[in-house]
C-alpha cells in the first residue's frame, strides 16, 4: 500500500482501475505486480501526483475507444521494443523497459520527486 493508505483504500483503487479500463477501452484486466512508483510534488506544494505502474493481463475484450469518455480518442498498443522511446508523463520508457525485463522485485523502485 502507499504510505498512510489502508489496504482497503488500495483495493478500491484497483477496483476503480479495472472499472475505468472496462468502461473506457473495453477490456477486463487482472492487475499484476507493481513495477514502478513515481511521484511529483510542485515546488509550492499545490499539487502532488503519484503514479503506480502495474503489470496487467487482459482477460477479455479488445482494446478500443468505447466512446463513454470523450477525453479518450485513441487506444494504441505498441510493441515492447518501442517502450524506451514512448513519451509518457512521469514514467521513463527506457527505465520501465529495463524493469520489465527483470523478475519482479521485493520493493517498488521510486525515482523521487519528478516535478519538472
Amino acid at each position: 500500500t502507499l504510505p498512510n493508505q489502508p489496504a482497503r483504500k488500495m483495493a478500491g483503487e484497483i477496483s476503480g482501475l479495472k472499472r475505468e479500463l472496462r468502461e473506457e477501452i473495453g477490456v477486463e484486466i487482472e492487475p499484476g505486480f507493481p513495477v514502478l512508483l513515481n511521484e511529483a510534488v510542485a515546488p509550492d506544494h499545490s499539487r502532488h501526483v503519484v503514479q503506480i505502474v502495474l503489470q496487467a493481463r487482459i482477460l477479455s475484450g479488445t482494446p478500443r475507444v468505447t466512446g463513454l469518455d470523450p477525453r479518450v480518442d485513441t487506444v494504441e498498443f505498441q510493441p515492447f521494443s518501442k517502450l524506451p522511446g514512448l513519451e509518457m508523463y512521469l514514467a521513463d520508457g527506457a527505465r520501465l523497459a529495463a524493469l520489465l525485463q527483470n523478475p519482479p522485485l521485493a520493493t517498488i523502485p521510486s525515482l523521487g520527486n519528478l516535478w519538472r
Side-chain angles (χ1 to χ4, degrees):
T1 61
L2 292 173
N4 302 317
Q5 296 294 319
R8 68 181 180 280
K9 170 109 168 119
M10 276 305 292
E13 298 296 332
I14 295 296
S15 293
L17 169 67
K18 291 168 78 171
R19 183 187 65 253
E20 290 290 312
L21 290 174
R22 182 177 56 252
E23 292 174 357
E24 294 180 10
I25 67 168
V27 296
E28 295 284 339
I29 65 148
E30 177 183 322
F33 188 80
V35 177
L36 185 63
L37 170 79
N38 293 319
E39 68 180 319
V41 180
D44 64 359
H45 298 279
S46 62
R47 291 185 62 205
H48 184 186
V49 178
V50 176
Q51 176 189 57
I52 302 171
V53 180
L54 303 170
Q55 292 181 355
R57 186 167 62 99
I58 296 176
L59 300 175
S60 65
T62 301
R64 70 192 189 296
V65 176
T66 63
L68 294 176
D69 186 337
R71 297 170 295 180
V72 178
D73 62 4
T74 305
V75 176
E76 186 176 304
F77 276 65
Q78 297 289 331
F80 186 81
S81 62
K82 289 193 176 185
L83 186 59
L86 290 179
E87 183 179 335
M88 294 182 270
Y89 181 72
L90 292 186
D92 174 86
R95 180 167 169 81
L96 186 54
L99 289 168
L100 289 170
Q101 289 177 345
N102 295 311
L105 305 170
T107 60
I108 304 169
S110 174
L111 299 178
N113 186 3
L114 299 174
W115 193 269
R116 294 181 175 111

